[in-house]
């Protein structure tokens, strides 16, 4: 069973467009990696998202340079340095982007943001706050359940102690009667022995 043919035109729904972009981007990156691995070829792929974020697979910098007329470097060490330099630049850009997002989440540096970005940030904060509240409620309920369990155990123990205390009180009340009974028996025994 084959898939239906998809009409290639711009997706109007923003959410659907973002989901499609994400899925197809991942598929394209996967295909580029597989092509590189299976066919032992060098693949270079650069994708910019609608928001300007860069996604890239770069397996060959030196070949690209030679194809556009730049001097090709044959030295492996130079290639490695170029690769790591590009990787470092990519990581620095990602780090700056994450730091900027963190500042925005902290309510800092909001002036350059447009209304759409502010609304997105507000949604993220609402979702985050709701997750925090949910986790907090869960922790409080767990703590309340632990306290209720301890309370039940203490009430059971208190009941046992009350029962034992009542038994001890009854025993203490019976002791004077036993002493009187024993002293009466002793007196009776002493009088009987005198009579004999």
């Amino acid at each position: 069973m084959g898939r239906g043919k998809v009409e290639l035109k711009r997706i109007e729904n923003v959410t659907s467009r973002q989901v499609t972009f994400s899925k197809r981007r991942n598929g394209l990156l996967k295909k580029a990696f597989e092509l590189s691995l299976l066919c032992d070829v060098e693949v270079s792929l650069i994708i910019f998202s609608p928001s300007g974020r860069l996604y890239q697979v770069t397996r060959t910098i030196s070949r690209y340079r030679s194809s556009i007329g730049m001097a090709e470097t044959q030295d492996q060490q130079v290639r490695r340095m170029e690769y790591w330099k590009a990787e470092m630049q990519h990581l620095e850009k990602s780090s700056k982007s994450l730091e900027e997002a963190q500042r925005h989440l902290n309510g800092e540096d909001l002036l350059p943001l447009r209304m759409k970005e502010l609304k997105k940030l507000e949604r993220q904060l609402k979702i985050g706050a709701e997750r925090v509240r949910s986790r907090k409620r869960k922790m409080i309920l767990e703590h309340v359940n632990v306290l209720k369990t301890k309370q039940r155990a203490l009430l059971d123990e208190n009941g046992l102690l009350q029962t034992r205390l009542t038994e001890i009180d009854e025993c203490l009340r019976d002791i004077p009667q036993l002493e009187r009974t024993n002293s009466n028996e002793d007196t009776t025994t002493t009088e009987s022995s005198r009579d004999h």
Side-chain angles (χ1 to χ4, degrees):
M1 198 177 243
R3 295 184 190 174
K5 189 170 183 174
V6 177
E7 185 182 347
L8 293 180
K9 68 175 187 170
R10 184 175 188 269
I11 299 170
E12 295 303 322
N13 184 321
V14 177
T15 306
S16 297
R17 188 176 358 163
Q18 182 60 37
V19 169
T20 302
F21 170 74
S22 179
K23 286 182 179 179
R24 289 188 175 232
R25 178 200 66 221
N26 290 339
L28 190 59
L29 291 171
K30 182 180 177 187
K31 289 290 183 193
F33 175 75
E34 289 172 354
L35 179 65
S36 170
L37 196 64
L38 292 172
C39 301
D40 194 28
V41 295
E42 296 180 15
V43 176
S44 184
L45 178 65
I46 299 174
I47 303 171
F48 287 98
S49 72
S51 63
R53 185 170 176 197
L54 172 67
Y55 300 92
Q56 65 181 358
V57 172
T58 307
R59 304 270 302 189
T60 173
I61 294 173
S62 60
R63 182 160 296 177
Y64 171 73
R65 287 178 162 221
S66 67
S67 69
I68 61 168
M70 296 176 77
E72 184 176 343
T73 59
Q74 296 296 327
D75 188 21
Q76 287 284 358
Q77 206 170 21
V78 173
R79 282 188 192 178
R80 249 184 267 128
M81 285 181 61
E82 287 177 348
Y83 170 78
W84 288 114
K85 183 178 179 183
E87 189 68 21
M88 190 173 76
Q89 288 171 346
H90 174 68
L91 290 173
E92 284 175 352
K93 185 176 180 181
S94 295
S95 174
K96 285 178 183 176
S97 175
L98 289 172
E99 287 173 359
E100 183 178 309
Q102 183 65 41
R103 282 195 307 276
H104 293 167
L105 288 171
N106 289 336
E108 302 168 2
D109 197 23
L110 299 176
L111 288 176
L113 297 180
R114 290 173 284 159
M115 182 58 75
K116 185 177 178 182
E117 293 165 329
L118 287 171
K119 286 181 179 180
K120 181 181 176 185
L121 179 62
E122 184 179 25
R123 263 194 318 275
Q124 288 175 332
L125 289 171
K126 283 181 182 177
I127 291 168
E130 185 53 40
R131 286 179 183 162
V132 168
R133 281 189 214 104
S134 175
R135 177 67 182 137
K136 195 171 147 185
R137 277 192 296 269
K138 185 177 178 185
M139 288 177 71
I140 289 170
L141 287 174
E142 288 171 356
H143 189 65
V144 165
N145 288 336
V146 167
L147 290 175
K148 283 182 178 179
T149 303
K150 286 181 180 180
Q151 180 187 21
R152 280 192 293 272
L154 288 172
L155 287 172
D156 291 344
E157 187 177 350
N158 188 27
L160 289 172
L161 290 173
Q162 288 289 345
T163 305
R164 288 184 70 195
L165 186 61
T166 304
E167 290 171 357
I168 291 171
D169 281 346
E170 288 174 4
C171 286
L172 289 175
R173 276 192 228 120
D174 290 345
I175 289 175
Q177 288 176 356
L178 285 173
E179 286 178 352
R180 276 190 242 128
T181 306
N182 285 342
S183 72
N184 285 342
E185 286 177 3
D186 287 343
T187 310
T188 309
T189 312
T190 315
E191 289 175 0
S192 304
S193 58
R194 283 188 203 159
D195 289 341
H196 289 293

